[in-house]
Amino acid sequence: MCLYVVCIGEQALEFDYLTGARDRWLEFMCSCDPDFEIRPATEAEMLDFEKEFGNIPAEYRYFLKKIGFCYVFSEHVDDIKSLIKSHRKFSEESKGLDGWSWEMRDVFIIGWDGAGNPFGICMKTQKIMIEYMGSGVEVFSDSFQELLENGLPS
């Protein structure tokens, strides 16, 4: 069983997305933010994404299909729409436009922290990597599951 805690302000909800608590989680999120509208990715959306950007790692693909989105403490893991934007942004910035180039390679980007640092899944090891501007690339979590359980560093 994979039990996670989602926090919005001072409210918290435990959920187990592997056994169908998705509806309870969405109800909680909508109660916190009336404009909250996130849904799981459809198979067609994921296939369209994969045509442009390559394969989605299996565990993250399952997450997109069952949940679609979540907060990891104050940050969020991309839904399918944000994922497209994140991959385009990372790709453009990795080309060195305006003198900037990210160092991470072979990493599937799944979000950005509040300071604008990308984080993602290493395609070789499945570890969660984060690149801090000016400080290089670091392993943050041993897996996507660990990322959801422990969050990003502050």
Side-chain angles (χ1 to χ4, degrees):
M1 178 185 293
C2 297
L3 189 63
Y4 301 104
V5 177
V6 176
C7 298
I8 304 292
E10 294 181 11
Q11 299 182 53
L13 173 74
E14 292 184 354
F15 72 100
D16 176 356
Y17 76 85
L18 297 178
T19 58
R22 179 186 169 277
D23 292 338
R24 204 175 92 196
W25 179 77
L26 286 174
E27 182 181 334
F28 170 76
M29 294 300 290
C30 291
S31 73
C32 295
D33 179 359
D35 297 324
F36 184 81
E37 183 178 72
I38 297 294
R39 59 174 177 70
T42 65
E43 187 65 25
E45 288 172 320
M46 290 188 287
L47 290 173
D48 285 346
F49 175 90
E50 290 177 325
K51 285 178 191 171
E52 185 173 348
F53 300 104
N55 292 337
I56 299 170
E59 190 173 16
Y60 185 64
R61 188 176 224 285
Y62 183 79
F63 169 81
L64 287 172
K65 184 177 180 177
K66 294 295 181 183
I67 295 287
F69 167 93
C70 82
Y71 283 95
V72 178
F73 297 93
S74 64
E75 313 306 335
H76 73 269
V77 175
D78 285 342
D79 67 337
I80 193 71
K81 290 179 184 177
S82 298
L83 192 62
I84 293 166
K85 293 175 189 173
S86 286
H87 278 252
R88 287 185 180 145
K89 176 182 178 189
F90 185 79
S91 178
E92 286 301 312
E93 290 181 3
S94 292
K95 293 176 183 174
L97 299 176
D98 300 324
W100 185 257
S101 181
W102 293 108
E103 295 176 23
M104 280 199 299
R105 300 291 180 261
D106 297 321
V107 173
F108 186 90
I109 301 302
I110 61 171
W112 301 76
D113 73 6
N117 301 307
F119 61 94
I121 302 168
C122 176
M123 297 302 284
K124 293 178 184 173
T125 66
Q126 301 301 298
K127 293 178 187 265
I128 304 300
M129 310 296 289
I130 188 164
E131 182 171 347
Y132 295 105
M133 287 184 216
S135 297
V137 180
E138 295 180 18
V139 173
F140 174 69
S141 296
D142 286 333
S143 67
F144 183 66
Q145 179 177 338
E146 184 179 290
L147 171 70
L148 295 180
E149 290 170 350
N150 299 326
L152 288 171
S154 54

